[in-house]
Amino acid sequence: MTQNAQCLDPESSLRAVAAKMKEIDCGAVPICHNDRLVGMVTDRDMVTKALAEGRDPNSTRARDVMTSPIVYCFEDQDIGEAARVMEVRQIRRLVVLNKDKRLVGIVSLGDLSLRGGSEELPSEVLEKVSEPRHQIA
């Protein structure tokens, strides 16, 4: 997992979220309020919930587009369990919490590829995550 994930406040502008993504070279930023995870803003959230609707990135807040509630796993769970959660929920990034429900990191598909311990695991997860949720008419 990627440790030391950096959080932003729900009142952060989308411009600030985008700047953080650029700074740390990632596609998702956890959103925390009073030291508690309250959501996640992904690059896809910004495009589909803000840019596609013509929202101003300076006045639109992270809370307006963040995904919530967050799907997560605990730091002591097996990587296979985390991968199954990613498959079932069709998510590319999974927040990792400690037993006090404090953010300790994020597991991504890339993390599974690099450190998953199984050559098959990352490809299985990617296949399930990439399946269309809806049929296009």
Side-chain angles (χ1 to χ4, degrees):
M1 89 179 153
T2 300
Q3 297 179 337
N4 302 320
Q6 297 181 29
C7 290
L8 289 178
D9 187 88
E11 294 304 312
S12 299
S13 70
L14 285 191
R15 181 172 300 283
V17 174
K20 180 57 73 176
M21 286 180 180
K22 180 179 179 181
E23 174 191 330
I24 61 177
D25 190 27
C26 71
V29 175
I31 306 300
C32 299
H33 180 69
N34 292 333
D35 197 32
R36 291 289 187 183
L37 183 69
V38 295
M40 176 86 77
V41 175
T42 66
D43 44 11
R44 186 174 194 284
D45 289 330
M46 292 186 353
V47 170
T48 62
K49 298 176 185 175
L51 295 177
E53 296 178 6
R55 291 180 171 198
D56 177 2
N58 292 309
S59 62
T60 303
R61 302 290 160 221
R63 67 174 151 66
D64 298 329
V65 300
M66 70 184 186
T67 299
S68 182
I70 297 296
V71 177
Y72 60 87
C73 69
F74 289 106
E75 65 184 337
D76 61 352
Q77 283 183 269
D78 178 79
I79 190 68
E81 291 177 58
R84 298 301 161 240
V85 170
M86 293 170 77
E87 286 180 358
V88 170
R89 298 301 292 267
Q90 289 189 299
I91 55 176
R92 296 173 182 270
R93 300 168 190 96
L94 182 63
V95 174
V96 182
L97 304 178
N98 65 19
K99 288 300 180 187
D100 294 325
K101 292 200 173 178
R102 300 279 198 263
L103 179 67
V104 295
I106 299 174
V107 174
S108 69
L109 287 175
D111 293 327
L112 292 180
S113 295
L114 294 173
R115 299 175 211 104
S118 162
E119 291 182 24
E120 296 82 29
L121 185 63
S123 60
E124 289 173 15
V125 174
L126 179 59
E127 181 180 337
K128 295 290 185 186
V129 167
S130 299
E131 288 178 356
R133 291 186 186 193
H134 310 291
Q135 290 291 348
I136 299 174

